[in-house]
Amino acid sequence: MTDVSPQDWMGLVEQAVRNSKLILLVLSRPVGSASEGVRKLSVRPVTVRGELMLQWTAHEDRRESHENLDRDASLQRLRENFPARFRDLNLFTTDADLTVRSNRKGRIRVTTAPPSKQPATTAHNRQKQYLIPEGVPCPFLEAIGVMTSAGRVKANRYNKFRQINRFLEFIDDVYESLPADGPLRVVDFGCGKSYLTFAIHHYLDVIRSRDVQITGLDRNPEVIRDCRSVAERLELDGLEFFEGDIVGHTADGPVDLAVSLHACDTATDDALARSVQWGARVILSVPCCQHEVADQLECSDLSLMTRHGILKERLAAMATDALRAAALEVVGYRADVIEFIDMEHTAKNLLIRAVRRDASAEADARSVAAREEFNALKRHFGVERLAIENALLQAVPTLSDT
């Protein structure tokens, strides 16, 4: 073990980086709050579009964030982080392993050992391939505070980054069900801060190169003002925001994609009915606070579950969404209930995705079968009538009491 100057150890690291001998570099043992909650930084070579880059991964307790930098930027970031923010540096190269440690007095010590790791593939596909990739600047993600101007996902916003990409995957799965020609019309009920509204615009306008007419609705005037400000600053064509609610909004024409996220209790049913009334080709809805069935639920066969309040609430929520999906099948949609995002991120983790069926004998048969399933499940749970029936009957008089 020997004392070395900062210039000496940095020279060894720089040589490994510039000569493409780096396998892995790890910074650990954070210095107090200087690391901003990051337990460890790891760096490995990756190939992006044919160019060798270094991928920096920030490890927090329950998340990771990634950013790809070139060699010069990586060496600069290394100087900024060691030893000011992390006291230990472990470098694994094709020639040797290097451990650099800084004590509280700033003295740096280095140990070397024979190489212990084999070079791994630098293929970038080891990282999940998001529709909005990491390491590539995205103006709307920067505007809403998820990404830096350099394309780095902020550590404390990585869950939101994942959620946005996961939501876009749902749209990507059904994109072929949307009209192939002309501008795509989208309505987002209860858009809130509009993270996903902006994401839809990015997906359709930037990724798919389509003309769009997207309307975001919310009852909060301050939220709408903020969303308009972002849209104007980014000069996003075909995106507008209005103060209003589900029931009061009138569309100027057919709607291709209708989105409703966390509309509380029966407001979800109003959004579904409006979407059906407009003939939406695709409906995406994340229900919230499903109390309606819980207030009516009577089923002696399930008394072991219904006697416990929390279990009854969850059972009723699942029944509500199953009935909503069946109701959409009755009026001509193919409906799925799927997971929106991991349970660790939000308890409201189900999404109803419905795609309108083309008229056919098979579609008619499915509608009849769905009606029978709908009524059977209502009878089983002792439910008299639901808001989804009232709402849909006003839109399409297909559901009945039979």
Side-chain angles (χ1 to χ4, degrees):
M1 181 180 293
T2 59
D3 288 344
V4 298
S5 68
Q7 291 77 13
D8 290 338
W9 73 260
M10 192 63 197
L12 295 173
V13 175
E14 183 171 352
Q15 183 179 18
V17 169
R18 296 200 181 282
N19 294 339
S20 300
K21 294 185 176 183
L22 173 68
I23 298 174
L24 178 68
L25 186 149
V26 179
L27 299 178
S28 58
R29 208 154 59 97
V31 179
S33 60
S35 64
E36 299 177 342
V38 177
R39 295 183 294 103
K40 178 175 69 174
L41 291 174
S42 60
V43 186
R44 70 177 183 89
V46 296
T47 301
V48 182
R49 301 183 184 92
E51 182 180 359
L52 186 63
M53 305 284 284
L54 294 178
Q55 183 179 90
W56 285 73
T57 301
H59 303 264
E60 296 184 82
D61 287 338
R62 299 179 65 179
R63 63 174 69 91
E64 295 181 357
S65 60
H66 308 273
E67 184 177 7
N68 299 324
L69 302 176
D70 62 22
R71 294 171 180 176
D72 289 338
S74 291
L75 291 171
Q76 179 59 35
R77 178 162 295 180
L78 179 59
R79 295 186 186 97
E80 294 170 354
N81 280 278
F82 184 85
R85 297 173 182 169
F86 296 89
R87 288 200 175 97
D88 286 1
L89 180 153
N90 288 281
L91 176 71
F92 302 91
T93 75
T94 56
D95 293 336
D97 292 354
L98 183 73
T99 299
V100 186
R101 289 187 173 176
S102 171
N103 63 22
R104 294 181 183 276
K105 296 181 179 180
R107 175 173 291 182
I108 292 176
R109 292 180 176 270
V110 177
T111 58
T112 60
S116 62
K117 294 184 180 294
Q118 295 295 319
T121 176
T122 61
H124 193 242
N125 60 8
R126 289 179 58 187
Q127 177 184 338
K128 180 174 175 60
Q129 297 301 292
Y130 290 116
L131 285 166
I132 303 178
E134 301 178 61
V136 179
C138 179
F140 94 86
L141 286 181
E142 180 188 353
I144 63 177
V146 172
M147 184 180 278
T148 68
S149 59
R152 179 187 179 188
V153 178
K154 297 180 180 179
N156 64 346
R157 305 296 283 165
Y158 197 75
N159 284 348
K160 180 60 66 175
F161 175 76
R162 288 182 58 217
Q163 183 193 50
I164 288 171
N165 271 289
R166 182 63 179 138
F167 183 74
L168 292 185
E169 288 172 5
F170 292 136
I171 299 178
D172 194 58
D173 288 343
V174 295
Y175 175 75
E176 298 302 325
S177 298
L178 297 172
D181 301 314
L184 292 173
R185 296 171 55 86
V186 181
V187 175
D188 185 355
F189 296 111
C191 59
K193 294 182 179 179
S194 297
Y195 294 163
L196 299 184
T197 321
F198 287 116
I200 294 170
H201 184 277
H202 180 86
Y203 172 78
L204 295 176
D205 179 63
V206 178
I207 297 176
R208 288 292 185 173
S209 300
R210 297 292 301 272
D211 291 332
V212 294
Q213 297 175 11
I214 301 177
T215 300
L217 293 173
D218 200 275
R219 292 186 294 182
N220 187 327
E222 293 183 3
V223 164
I224 292 299
R225 185 170 58 251
D226 291 342
C227 293
R228 285 175 176 169
S229 175
V230 172
E232 291 171 2
R233 176 155 45 92
L234 297 179
E235 299 181 344
L236 301 180
D237 293 331
L239 178 58
E240 55 186 1
F241 295 93
F242 294 105
E243 182 182 349
D245 58 17
I246 296 166
V247 176
H249 183 69
T250 302
D252 296 332
V255 172
D256 301 308
L257 172 63
V259 178
S260 170
L261 303 181
H262 302 301
C264 190
D265 203 14
T266 58
T268 292
D269 303 304
D270 293 331
L272 293 177
R274 270 295 201 196
S275 303
V276 171
Q277 185 178 34
W278 292 333
R281 298 293 295 271
V282 176
I283 302 170
L284 299 176
S285 176
V286 176
C288 180
C289 305
Q290 302 95 317
H291 298 307
E292 186 186 20
V293 169
D295 294 337
Q296 302 182 55
L297 197 153
E298 292 291 340
C299 182
S300 58
D301 293 342
L302 297 175
S303 60
L304 187 60
M305 297 180 68
T306 58
R307 75 177 59 163
H308 304 287
I310 184 63
L311 297 181
K312 180 179 180 180
E313 179 182 335
R314 292 180 181 178
L315 175 64
M318 288 190 293
T320 302
D321 292 334
L323 288 165
R324 285 167 170 160
L328 289 170
E329 295 266 359
V330 172
V331 295
Y333 285 79
R334 182 180 72 253
D336 302 301
V337 180
I338 51 184
E339 186 177 35
F340 178 36
I341 201 162
D342 296 341
M343 181 68 82
E344 64 181 302
H345 300 143
T346 173
K348 313 299 183 186
N349 70 328
L350 295 182
L351 180 140
I352 300 174
R353 182 175 62 191
V355 178
R356 199 175 73 205
R357 297 177 184 272
D358 293 329
S360 66
E362 180 182 354
D364 291 342
R366 178 57 199 145
S367 180
V368 172
R371 187 200 308 271
E372 294 174 354
E373 293 169 349
F374 182 88
N375 289 330
L377 189 57
K378 276 201 332 178
R379 288 193 297 269
H380 183 74
F381 284 122
V383 174
E384 291 292 330
R385 191 167 182 83
L386 291 171
I388 188 66
E389 296 175 88
N390 296 329
L392 283 178
L393 275 171
Q394 295 179 29
V396 180
T398 304
L399 284 173
S400 70
D401 295 322
T402 60

